[in-house]
Amino acid sequence: MKKKVINLIGLLLLVTGFFVVGNTEAANTDMVDVSNHNGYMTTANFIDMRNNYGVKAVVTKVTEGTYYHDYTAKNNIYTAQQAGLYINAYHFARYTTYQGAVNEANYAAQMAKADGLPIGSVIVADVEASQQQGISRYQNNINNQAFMNTIKQYGYRSDVYTMSSWLGSVMDVNAGGWIASYPYNASGKQWYSSNHAWQWGSTYQFAGSYGNFDVSQLYDNFYTGQLQALVDPRQSINNVVSVKGNKYKAYSTYTKEGQANEGTDVLSGTDWQSAGIIEVAGLPYYYIGLNTYIPQNKTTFNRKVVINYRSDYGVNAYNKKGQSIKDSNTRFKGGTEWATVDKLTYINNVGWCYQVSTDEYIPVKFQQGSGFKG
């Protein structure tokens, strides 16, 4: 983080410009922390970090002591979320007493909430100031726990960041923890793997982003919130179909009139992009090429409906009268699977449908492979 005591190794890295170019000699850049030193981060900056450097999570400075609120925090929280990254915050700690830790935690949580930090995110106590070095290990441990307990009252999770040289002497990190230690060459190393994260560099540069960045390697999903923010709900929209079986076997394809094609057999275990589903003699067929269709019963979706929709929403089922069934979209969410019968059912004003229960039907356009794109 940007206010830190620079050790000899860190100074060497700064002088030599090591880690400035790409990921040569680098550990994973799973997480990056930002502050006013990097200016207002844009969505494009974070998308570049995500796509080209593998960044999964961001930690933005929000406060320091009980007197400083980072003016870039609100922007960084918003733009990181827009880029699909999990966002957390850190507070640069100045506390030396139990009550001081409580006061700073209240201030940090209140400012983070005002800036739009999502509930459930992590607010980290960045403990590395001279104030903590001047008090006992016992008192630091009490203060850190007080900070974390107070943060949790606001619905956030909490952790402690510190330097490796302080562990076991100035303070302890018994569970979790984010530890900073900068080797000359971080490539392939797994330092502090029993903790949540290891910050291995402080002068990393990303193309298109301003300034130097602290970068960290993650060992669990604590800072990615179980990766919830990284899962695009549209990913459950899928038009790939797989031919059933895992041994060499050929299946005929058909024309839209139901006549077998010659020389266009498909092999078991192969995948095909489907542009639609048609009905042939009451059965569903996938459209995989010019007048080339494969029966659904020859795919891994035999007697199965996989809802081809966003995972955060659902689709309506209909009864045989063509009436939508109230609240059925809360059950038939994108990506969920449902057993069905061989033949399709035609329902007036709805079209061809899969039967998924006694009087519940799902339109074919919401089956995986229907060509639906959202």
Side-chain angles (χ1 to χ4, degrees):
M1 297 183 182
K2 293 299 176 277
K3 278 200 174 182
K4 57 171 81 272
V5 178
I6 300 178
N7 57 29
L8 181 60
I9 295 176
L11 184 60
L12 177 62
L13 296 177
L14 185 62
V15 171
T16 60
F18 205 71
F19 296 125
V20 169
V21 288
N23 285 349
T24 304
E25 311 298 341
N28 293 346
T29 52
D30 297 320
M31 185 165 73
V32 60
D33 46 284
V34 297
S35 70
N36 58 82
H37 292 274
N38 307 110
Y40 291 97
M41 298 295 294
T42 67
T43 299
N45 291 150
F46 285 132
I47 288 175
D48 177 70
M49 290 179 178
R50 182 196 71 194
N51 291 348
N52 297 315
Y53 298 88
V55 173
K56 302 176 180 68
V58 175
V59 187
T60 189
K61 182 174 182 179
V62 65
T63 47
E64 181 172 339
T66 54
Y67 53 83
Y68 178 76
H69 176 215
D70 194 310
Y71 56 88
T72 63
K74 185 173 184 178
N75 170 80
N76 295 342
I77 289 169
Y78 175 78
T79 54
Q81 288 182 291
Q82 291 298 301
L85 296 175
Y86 200 89
I87 182 66
N88 306 285
Y90 78 87
H91 166 82
F92 195 90
R94 296 292 185 180
Y95 52 72
T96 58
T97 65
Y98 176 93
Q99 189 57 52
V102 170
N103 293 344
E104 291 191 26
N106 283 324
Y107 179 62
Q110 290 165 8
M111 292 298 100
K113 185 176 181 180
D115 286 337
L117 186 71
I119 296 300
S121 300
V122 182
I123 298 180
V124 184
D126 178 1
V127 185
E128 56 175 315
S130 58
Q131 287 95 328
Q132 286 93 31
Q133 195 168 28
I135 62 176
S136 72
R137 172 182 175 185
Y138 174 78
Q139 188 63 53
N140 275 322
N141 290 341
I142 290 176
N143 297 347
N144 290 342
Q145 193 60 54
F147 179 93
M148 295 176 69
N149 290 344
T150 304
I151 289 294
K152 291 174 183 177
Q153 294 174 14
Y154 289 84
Y156 295 109
R157 294 175 294 136
S158 191
D159 200 14
V160 173
Y161 164 98
T162 196
M163 300 172 289
S164 61
S165 60
W166 281 24
L167 294 178
S169 56
V170 180
M171 56 179 284
D172 299 301
V173 177
N174 296 322
W178 178 13
I179 310 303
S181 186
Y182 307 149
Y184 180 78
N185 182 338
S187 179
K189 290 182 171 58
Q190 300 283 320
W191 287 11
Y192 300 98
S193 59
S194 61
N195 299 101
H196 291 316
W198 165 42
Q199 186 184 94
W200 55 265
S202 64
T203 58
Y204 201 97
Q205 292 187 348
F206 296 94
S209 297
Y210 173 76
N212 295 328
F213 294 83
D214 297 337
V215 285
S216 299
Q217 182 164 281
L218 300 178
Y219 296 114
D220 56 28
N221 57 15
F222 185 77
Y223 283 98
T224 55
Q226 292 72 50
L227 295 176
Q228 290 171 359
L230 299 178
V231 178
D232 187 338
R234 292 169 295 183
Q235 289 180 358
S236 56
I237 297 176
N238 191 342
N239 289 298
V240 173
V241 296
S242 301
V243 182
K244 69 179 181 179
N246 54 16
K247 293 182 180 179
Y248 180 84
K249 187 174 181 179
Y251 293 96
S252 296
T253 65
Y254 296 82
T255 68
K256 64 182 178 180
E257 292 80 23
Q259 299 174 338
N261 284 311
E262 293 184 6
T264 61
D265 292 353
V266 292
L267 297 179
S268 58
T270 57
D271 295 333
W272 299 85
Q273 189 76 23
S274 173
I277 298 173
I278 66 168
E279 173 271 336
V280 177
L283 297 175
Y285 280 62
Y286 287 110
Y287 176 35
I288 61 172
L290 182 62
N291 204 21
T292 303
Y293 299 82
I294 181 172
Q296 184 171 324
N297 61 18
K298 302 303 182 185
T299 74
T300 56
F301 297 141
N302 183 34
R303 297 195 178 196
K304 182 192 296 185
V305 175
V306 180
I307 304 297
N308 199 24
Y309 209 65
R310 296 173 59 111
S311 61
D312 54 346
Y313 295 109
V315 302
N316 285 323
Y318 295 83
N319 61 27
K320 208 161 187 179
K321 295 180 180 179
Q323 300 165 326
S324 63
I325 298 172
K326 183 179 179 181
D327 297 327
S328 56
N329 61 321
T330 63
R331 288 185 293 120
F332 297 104
K333 289 189 175 181
T336 59
E337 299 183 4
W338 304 86
T340 187
V341 297
D342 285 336
K343 290 208 168 186
L344 296 173
T345 300
Y346 188 83
I347 297 177
N348 289 332
N349 301 318
V350 178
W352 290 104
C353 296
Y354 294 91
Q355 184 178 4
V356 291
S357 70
T358 303
D359 194 23
E360 285 188 314
Y361 298 85
I362 300 294
V364 294
K365 80 172 189 176
F366 296 125
Q367 161 74 310
Q368 182 168 329
S370 66
F372 180 75
K373 297 179 180 179

